[in-house]
Amino acid sequence: MSATLDLAALQEAPYWWEAAPREAPDDAPLPDTADVVVVGAGYAGLSAALTLARAGREVLVLDAEAAGFGGSSRSGGMVGHGHRLSYSALIARHGRPKAQALIREGMAALDFATGLIAREGIDARFRRVGRFRGAATPADYEMLAREAELLAREVGLPVEVVPRAEQHREIASDLYHGGLLFPTHGGLHPALFHQGLLAVARAAGARVVGHTPAISIVREGAGHMVRTPRGAVRAGAVLVATNGYSGARPAPTVARRVVALPSFLIATERLGANRVGALIPNGRMLVETAASHLYFRPSPDGERIILGGRAALHPIPLRAAAARLGGHLQRVFPGLGALRLDHAWTGNVAMTRSDLPGIGQDAEGLWYAVGCNGSGVALMPYLGHKAALRMLGDAEGATAFDDVPTGSTPFLFARPLLRRALSAWWQARDTLGR
């Protein structure tokens, strides 16, 4: 750890929870029946519950922890159109027409999430500040420039190539070799977004109960029996929206579609709006092409910097993760000098074998919406809404993801030794590649 990095006052909890604390348990009895039981009270589950409740369905949402305990209140709060795969990679895998449809589906997700915030009057601190993606190497810059030309010409996505000579207008760092600017992207406070969505879903009539895990889901006739420590609920239909927190139970067929990888985040001390503004002149969301996949931004009040990334692919102590990420931040901004970190936390990202989200119904009759692949702030509310429309028999629930099989993820990848080896390889590749 750098001698100029101060972790003495480090709080091992999400910075976002200061403005939106987690809810206490609700001890009220569960209903005996529900039209729909949604498992998972994050963005996807709550968005689905909102759509279903407004369609007149009796909806019960269950979560093993407090509602929003998982990725919905732990992310970096970046809102974009993105998929894990580039447009070129999507073309190579799926052909040009399908690749265009997949990119446009991501753009629709961005429009849906931002429209949801506006329509429902959710105080998510959303600002459409744009996102700059920095090229870690000259070769990455050339790749990004080609990608931008294709996206603009073939999909109509607003994107601007920023050469290295001009990147100081986006970031006060010489670490990158130029990059891309996505002006329609933005940032929000993820926990406040979740809190607002929770309030709207409840106002529509959905019952949301935290600290109540679904232990098992058993098919019974045309519906399912959902068992919890507080009793069983007979459901006409079940939607599993647990994403990066999908354990082996209660829906193993859904859990096998994803691998949960940790992402680690830090929040600096208050640096002051002037200092943060000098480092990130336009208040952009910032990401990079390196394998460590750093993503960073000003806090919504502009006083701090929030930074996340792959400090490791396996669980490590938060102080160790904070030290690594703090060192990365000092490398991006060498002028920071001595730096105190106030918060460090981690959250799970749900990755799929297809690198695209999964939405549909499995052989057991369970509906699912999982697999954000790192772009969940826009994708998961959208997928939850679309899954709900499909459950209602509405043709508007169709998406370009429907016929892309997520497949089962290889269990080998979940082994700790392999994750440690991959972590070391990615870190070495980033270091040697710059």
Side-chain angles (χ1 to χ4, degrees):
M1 185 178 69
S2 168
T4 61
L5 196 60
D6 181 1
L7 305 183
L10 189 72
Q11 299 179 55
E12 297 187 0
Y15 163 72
W16 310 118
W17 290 4
E18 288 189 352
R22 302 299 85 201
E23 288 189 330
D26 172 6
D27 296 329
L30 297 182
D32 295 326
T33 63
D35 292 333
V36 181
V37 169
V38 178
V39 182
Y43 294 148
L46 294 180
S47 180
L50 174 62
T51 299
L52 291 164
R54 286 185 173 165
R57 302 302 190 268
E58 293 183 350
V59 184
L60 174 66
V61 185
L62 301 174
D63 202 289
E65 302 285 350
F69 177 85
S72 295
S73 65
R74 294 171 180 268
S75 76
M78 298 184 179
V79 194
H81 79 279
H83 299 309
R84 176 173 166 77
L85 295 178
S86 69
Y87 179 47
S88 299
L90 289 171
I91 291 172
R93 285 195 189 183
H94 302 287
R96 186 167 258 99
K98 184 66 173 180
Q100 291 174 355
L102 290 167
I103 292 292
R104 291 191 176 111
E105 203 72 65
M107 295 165 68
L110 172 59
D111 289 342
F112 175 83
T114 56
L116 176 65
I117 291 168
R119 286 192 307 273
E120 306 299 340
I122 297 174
D123 181 15
R125 314 285 167 84
F126 171 70
R127 291 183 62 215
R128 198 180 293 276
V129 293
R131 182 184 326 212
F132 175 74
R133 188 177 188 199
T137 66
D140 284 353
Y141 175 75
E142 295 300 323
M143 176 271 293
L144 290 177
R146 291 192 298 271
E147 183 81 1
E149 192 274 331
L150 284 173
L151 285 169
R153 175 165 50 87
E154 299 187 2
V155 188
L157 181 74
V159 58
E160 177 185 346
V161 178
V162 180
R164 188 174 194 179
E166 299 176 20
Q167 75 181 14
H168 276 199
R169 76 178 197 230
E170 306 298 342
I171 180 171
S173 174
D174 294 320
L175 185 64
Y176 303 111
H177 298 263
L180 298 185
L181 173 63
F182 297 95
T184 60
H185 291 201
L188 51 67
H189 190 300
L192 288 178
F193 179 30
H194 178 271
Q195 189 177 76
L197 185 54
L198 175 61
V200 170
R202 282 176 168 158
R207 172 100 183 267
V208 183
V209 182
H211 305 281
T212 306
I215 297 173
S216 67
I217 305 173
V218 180
R219 191 163 192 168
E220 291 192 357
H224 291 82
M225 184 66 74
V226 182
R227 301 189 185 280
T228 82
R230 298 169 55 186
V233 181
R234 187 179 300 277
V238 176
L239 170 65
V240 179
T242 44
N243 207 36
Y245 294 78
S246 302
R249 293 193 305 172
T253 59
V254 176
R256 282 196 293 269
R257 296 175 187 275
V258 299
V259 165
L261 296 182
S263 188
F264 297 86
L265 297 95
I266 55 172
T268 68
E269 63 185 312
R270 286 186 178 276
L271 301 172
N274 289 339
R275 193 176 181 196
V276 173
L279 296 171
I280 308 173
N282 299 298
R284 307 284 196 206
M285 305 293 104
L286 302 159
V287 297
E288 62 173 34
T289 60
S292 56
H293 190 61
L294 292 187
Y295 52 97
F296 48 107
R297 56 166 295 183
S299 58
D301 62 6
E303 296 282 340
R304 306 170 188 264
I305 295 176
I306 311 293
L307 178 141
R310 290 180 181 141
L313 289 175
H314 55 283
I316 61 174
L318 283 177
R319 291 183 69 84
R324 290 183 188 178
L325 294 178
H328 282 311
L329 185 58
Q330 290 173 319
R331 176 169 55 84
V332 174
F333 299 116
L336 271 176
L339 180 66
R340 190 184 78 234
L341 301 182
D342 281 357
H343 292 263
W345 68 99
T346 186
N348 292 342
V349 178
M351 312 299 288
T352 62
R353 198 168 188 173
S354 67
D355 294 311
L356 292 167
I359 179 173
Q361 191 175 24
D362 71 7
E364 298 300 315
L366 297 178
W367 294 91
Y368 60 89
V370 294
C372 65
N373 290 279
S375 299
V377 180
L379 271 176
M380 297 318 294
Y382 181 71
L383 291 181
H385 171 66
K386 288 290 189 175
L389 291 177
R390 291 185 64 175
M391 296 171 78
L392 293 167
D394 190 329
E396 288 298 313
T399 76
F401 307 122
D402 295 347
D403 60 352
V404 178
T406 52
S408 293
T409 54
F411 285 111
L412 178 65
F413 190 70
R415 293 182 179 177
L417 285 177
L418 179 57
R419 289 196 182 193
R420 286 185 173 87
L422 285 171
S423 293
W425 179 75
W426 269 329
Q427 290 167 15
R429 192 179 77 170
D430 283 352
T431 301
L432 296 173
R434 290 190 183 273

